Amino acid sequence: MMYKKLLTIIILGGLSLTGCGGGSDPDGKEDVAIIDTDNDGVADSSDAFPNDATETKDSDSDGVGDNADAFPNDATETTDTDNDGVGDNADAFPNDATETVDTDEDGYGDNIDFAPNDQNIWLESQLKYSGLCTPDSDKVNFDALMEEDCEYLSAFNLFSDMTNPTEGILGSNSLPYDLSMPLFTDYATKYRFVVMPDGTTANYNENEVFDLPVGSILVKTFSMPADTASRGFENETLIETRLLIHRDDGWDALPYVWNEDGTDAKLAKYGKQIANTKVKHDGEDYDFTYVVPARSDCKQCHQLTDLDSAGNIVDGTSRFAPIGPKARLLNYDFSYDDETKNQIAKWSVEGMLTGAPSDLSTIKSIPNFKDEDISSVLTLESSELMVFAKGYFDINCSHCHRPEGSASNTGFHIEYWRDFDSQQNKHGICKQPIAYGGEGLGYDIEPGVAVESIVYARMDSNEAKVRMPEIGRSLIHKEGVLLIGEWISRLNSAPYNLSSCTSD
């Protein structure tokens, strides 16, 4: 028993000596204990945050761990609340991912600020509008229309939707309208409205434009379709809107060119050339320069003078006048939002026209003609074709080519109501020109031979000194040329049987 106790003491003693370092370490060095207070696997000596298991590094020494620091290498930033890539300290709008800078310190970010360097202006309207040219919210700005040539079309507040000027007019005394045979402008689609002040009406006129009251506006928007086979605002690009305004001192014209976004249009007093305008028509692609006329150019077509009893021009009576809204061009059905109705009847029922005949069939009217109708029109009897040809001349030419017009001196007078049989020379038949001498042609109209007729040659030309009309188009109206060409080619046969201008 004594022997066993002695053996136990010896063994324990040996263990105790080994635990106290009595033995030797294989590497010859004394081991040092590793301390990791937050148990994150990184020793406190290497851990920038020894008491935080979620962080170990602070690369930019800003006191915020790299894991929590949105900008671990930038000591000036730690947070990006709106995740826009700009730190909250540098971000003028730390809770708005769309804005970071406010240069003029007006409280509006530079991205949305129309004038980022001007503390007093942040909305486009603050630059666009002033004085009378400040639109009302819910009505047409007649005051500005009567007195100001506002820089922006939106200042007049004409449209119920400024981004779609084909949709409607804010004025309660207004209607859309169209012409049975539209004036050609490079295959553009035209959207027309007439606007009158409340409580006013137009007076009917048999042959001329209706007598529209002071304060009236004729609105015409030009929109270019990608393909004329698929017209409609959704398939078109806005180009320009022209206003004819009946002011106290007469009619005035204001041309506006639309911006690329189609949200507003700016006054183009001196006109504008729009290069690379594209349209596909009848399968053919056109790439051309569309020309918006200068304000002064409008007078070339819209100018009328008074005549004395002998038919001579009265000096000093030149005035600006509209062209389109005449009885002969409006006397057909139009599809309104609420109904389809004859336009003259609609104007009358709405209180916008007085004095129209009760029997609208008595009005000598121009037939409907669209470009897609040309094939069928060319097969009409000659007497019917004459009606279409005279109608085409009337809307496209007679505003100048009439005794009161700017081309009165040419003697080529082709108003729709002018009788052909008794006034053939006025219609250009075997009439020699007073100035034009190009192409070796001698007569305005050579019966039976379109290519020998000056009128046909000028319609079929795009040369600046040759083409007719001189302004208002950059493309040749193919369908118009075909119509007039066919009409001329039949003049030497029944029922007209006109002789050649050079025959004995």
Side-chain angles (χ1 to χ4, degrees):
M1 187 68 177
M2 179 73 69
Y3 171 77
K4 290 182 179 178
K5 287 183 179 180
L6 181 61
L7 180 61
T8 300
I9 291 171
I10 294 172
I11 292 172
L12 290 174
L15 290 173
S16 177
L17 289 172
T18 302
C20 293
S24 61
D25 195 331
D27 61 7
K29 296 180 181 179
E30 182 178 352
D31 288 337
V32 178
I34 297 175
I35 301 175
D36 179 11
T37 304
D38 54 14
N39 295 310
D40 60 0
V42 178
D44 289 4
S45 59
S46 300
D47 194 335
F49 302 89
N51 296 304
D52 183 351
T54 66
E55 295 286 354
T56 60
K57 293 181 181 181
D58 182 12
S59 299
D60 53 12
S61 302
D62 60 0
V64 178
D66 288 6
N67 292 333
D69 195 336
F71 303 89
N73 296 303
D74 183 351
T76 66
E77 295 286 355
T78 61
T79 306
D80 181 12
T81 303
D82 54 13
N83 296 310
D84 61 0
V86 178
D88 288 5
N89 292 333
D91 195 335
F93 302 89
N95 296 303
D96 183 351
T98 66
E99 296 285 354
T100 60
V101 180
D102 182 12
T103 302
D104 54 14
E105 298 182 345
D106 60 0
Y108 295 89
D110 287 8
N111 292 333
I112 197 174
D113 195 333
F114 187 75
N117 296 302
D118 188 335
Q119 193 174 57
N120 298 311
I121 297 173
W122 55 89
L123 297 175
E124 184 179 9
S125 59
Q126 292 173 291
L127 287 178
K128 291 169 63 172
Y129 309 133
S130 64
L132 288 178
C133 293
T134 302
D136 293 320
S137 60
D138 58 355
K139 61 182 180 179
V140 174
N141 190 355
F142 280 103
D143 290 341
L145 283 160
M146 292 304 100
E147 298 185 33
E148 298 288 344
D149 300 340
C150 297
E151 186 176 4
Y152 291 92
L153 181 60
S154 57
F156 299 125
N157 210 36
L158 282 164
F159 304 108
S160 55
D161 179 357
M162 190 61 202
T163 63
N164 185 355
T166 74
E167 194 67 24
I169 297 291
L170 282 176
S172 59
N173 204 26
S174 63
L175 282 172
Y177 72 96
D178 203 1
L179 309 180
S180 57
M181 191 170 297
L183 194 159
F184 176 73
T185 309
D186 297 331
Y187 296 111
T189 304
K190 300 178 183 180
Y191 300 92
R192 299 175 173 87
F193 291 92
V194 57
V195 189
M196 303 179 198
D198 290 343
T200 65
T201 185
N203 294 316
Y204 181 84
N205 190 300
E206 180 181 3
N207 288 326
E208 301 297 341
V209 170
F210 296 157
D211 183 13
L212 297 164
V214 171
S216 297
I217 308 103
L218 296 176
V219 184
K220 182 164 61 173
T221 295
F222 298 68
S223 189
M224 189 61 67
D227 190 331
T228 58
S230 301
R231 292 186 184 271
F233 181 70
E234 64 280 2
N235 301 321
E236 298 174 349
T237 300
L238 287 171
I239 301 177
E240 59 165 322
T241 292
R242 302 178 192 175
L243 304 182
L244 295 188
I245 308 170
H246 194 181
R247 291 173 166 167
D248 290 329
D249 57 353
W251 286 91
D252 206 349
L254 298 179
Y256 288 85
V257 177
W258 285 86
N259 59 26
E260 292 184 0
D261 297 331
T263 56
D264 207 346
K266 192 172 183 179
L267 182 62
K269 290 182 180 179
Y270 306 105
K272 185 172 183 178
Q273 295 190 2
I274 304 175
N276 304 123
T277 300
K278 295 178 175 60
V279 63
K280 175 178 283 189
H281 176 70
D282 197 23
E284 185 174 353
D285 291 313
Y286 296 91
D287 188 335
F288 64 102
T289 297
Y290 182 97
V291 179
V292 177
R295 190 178 182 183
S296 58
D297 291 336
C298 298
K299 296 179 180 179
Q300 183 170 331
C301 295
H302 287 271
Q303 178 177 284
L304 290 180
T305 55
D306 292 337
L307 303 177
D308 61 21
S309 58
N312 299 313
I313 291 176
V314 178
D315 292 339
T317 62
S318 177
R319 65 189 185 281
F320 193 97
I323 294 172
K326 301 182 179 78
R328 58 183 176 269
L329 290 161
L330 294 173
N331 192 28
Y332 75 101
D333 287 351
F334 181 86
S335 295
Y336 298 94
D337 288 340
D338 58 341
E339 63 178 337
T340 297
K341 194 177 185 69
N342 179 282
Q343 293 186 100
I344 296 176
K346 182 73 169 180
W347 285 39
S348 299
V349 168
E350 296 294 329
M352 297 178 65
L353 180 66
T354 59
S358 56
D359 184 1
L360 299 180
S361 66
T362 62
I363 299 174
K364 189 175 181 181
S365 304
I366 293 176
N368 278 282
F369 174 68
K370 302 293 186 289
D371 292 328
E372 55 267 27
D373 302 330
I374 187 62
S375 295
S376 59
V377 169
L378 295 180
T379 64
L380 294 173
E381 295 294 328
S382 293
S383 58
E384 294 179 276
L385 186 67
M386 171 71 79
V387 175
F388 278 83
K390 283 176 63 66
Y392 186 87
F393 278 140
D394 185 82
I395 185 57
N396 284 279
C397 312
S398 72
H399 38 273
C400 294
H401 286 278
R402 56 180 295 178
E404 304 90 345
S406 59
S408 60
N409 63 330
T410 65
F412 182 46
H413 299 156
I414 45 177
E415 308 95 312
Y416 185 68
W417 47 263
R418 189 177 293 278
D419 181 64
F420 177 78
D421 292 333
S422 62
Q423 301 186 63
Q424 291 181 6
N425 189 256
K426 291 290 186 184
H427 285 78
I429 307 300
C430 294
K431 188 191 79 63
Q432 293 180 314
I434 62 169
Y436 178 79
E439 306 293 335
L441 305 176
Y443 301 96
D444 287 352
I445 302 291
E446 172 65 63
V449 191
V451 294
E452 294 183 10
S453 302
I454 292 173
V455 169
Y456 178 88
R458 300 192 74 175
M459 288 178 61
D460 196 34
S461 175
N462 243 346
E463 295 182 34
K465 294 183 179 181
V466 176
R467 70 182 179 193
M468 188 61 67
E470 297 173 334
I471 63 173
R473 71 170 177 87
S474 296
L475 301 178
I476 294 170
H477 188 199
K478 180 173 64 175
E479 291 75 14
V481 172
L482 288 171
L483 170 61
I484 299 306
E486 181 68 16
W487 171 70
I488 294 173
S489 70
R490 296 195 199 180
L491 289 175
N492 63 349
S493 57
Y496 309 107
N497 298 312
L498 301 182
S499 301
S500 168
C501 301
T502 57
S503 62
D504 295 330

